[in-house]
Amino acid sequence: MLNTFEPMHQEVSLISLVVSDYDEAIAFYTGKLHFNLKEDTRLSDEKRWVVVTPPGSSGCGILLAKAANEEQNAHIGNQTGGRVFLFLRTDDFARDHQNLLNNGVTIVREPKIEPYGQVAVFADLYGNLWDLIGPV
C-alpha cells in the first residue's frame, strides 16, 4: 500500500528504559557512560521525568522510567528478550570501549569488525544489551 500522507517531519525523540531506581540509573548513565542528564523533573511523589542523552547527541534520548508495578519490574534488564536493545554510535571506538573497561561496564562480546563498523556488546547496570558501534 502506498503512503498517501503529505510530506512531514517526524522523529523518535525518546526511548523509554524501565529501571528500578532513578538515582542509580542516573549515576550509571552519567558516571560510567558520560551521558548528559537533560531533565529530571518530579511529577509526583513516585514519578519523575528523567532524560539522559549521549554526549554530543542532538537526536533521540532515553527516558529512565521507574517500574511502577510487578509486571514492569519483571522486564527490567530484559526489555527485548535478550537481544541487543540499544545502539550507541561513536566517533572514536577505541576511546569509548576503553571508557567502558575503565568504568567496569560488563563487556558481553569483545570488539569485532562487521560490515557496518567496529562493534562490541556491553550490558548496562540492569543487563540490557547495547552495541557500541564505531568506524573501522
Side-chain angles (χ1 to χ4, degrees):
M1 175 181 236
L2 292 175
N3 184 346
T4 58
F5 290 109
E6 291 295 318
M8 64 178 84
H9 176 81
Q10 295 180 334
E11 61 186 43
V12 175
S13 63
L14 292 171
I15 294 175
S16 181
L17 182 65
V18 181
V19 302
S20 63
D21 180 83
Y22 290 117
D23 294 323
E24 75 178 2
I26 291 169
F28 176 84
Y29 283 98
T30 62
K32 293 187 182 274
L33 300 185
H34 303 295
F35 280 27
N36 298 309
L37 179 61
K38 296 301 251 187
E39 186 171 356
D40 185 357
T41 302
R42 184 166 298 283
L43 301 176
S44 70
D45 287 342
E46 302 292 320
K47 192 172 182 179
R48 289 158 56 184
W49 184 265
V50 179
V51 177
V52 295
T53 59
S57 174
S58 61
C60 187
I62 297 175
L63 176 70
L64 302 176
K66 185 176 175 185
N69 56 45
E70 286 306 311
E71 182 178 357
Q72 291 175 12
N73 219 18
H75 292 281
I76 293 172
N78 192 22
Q79 291 186 205
T80 58
R83 291 200 50 124
V84 170
F85 176 41
L86 297 162
F87 301 81
L88 182 61
R89 185 164 299 280
T90 178
D91 62 344
D92 188 333
F93 184 89
R95 175 199 64 213
D96 292 335
H97 180 256
Q98 189 61 52
N99 177 67
L100 295 174
L101 295 172
N102 292 347
N103 283 297
V105 175
T106 301
I107 303 297
V108 176
R109 280 184 228 124
E110 292 299 323
K112 66 180 188 174
I113 305 299
E114 294 288 355
Y116 51 86
Q118 191 169 12
V119 62
V121 179
F122 69 94
D124 70 12
L125 76 163
Y126 299 112
N128 293 298
L129 298 181
W130 288 69
D131 269 2
L132 175 66
I133 304 171
V136 176

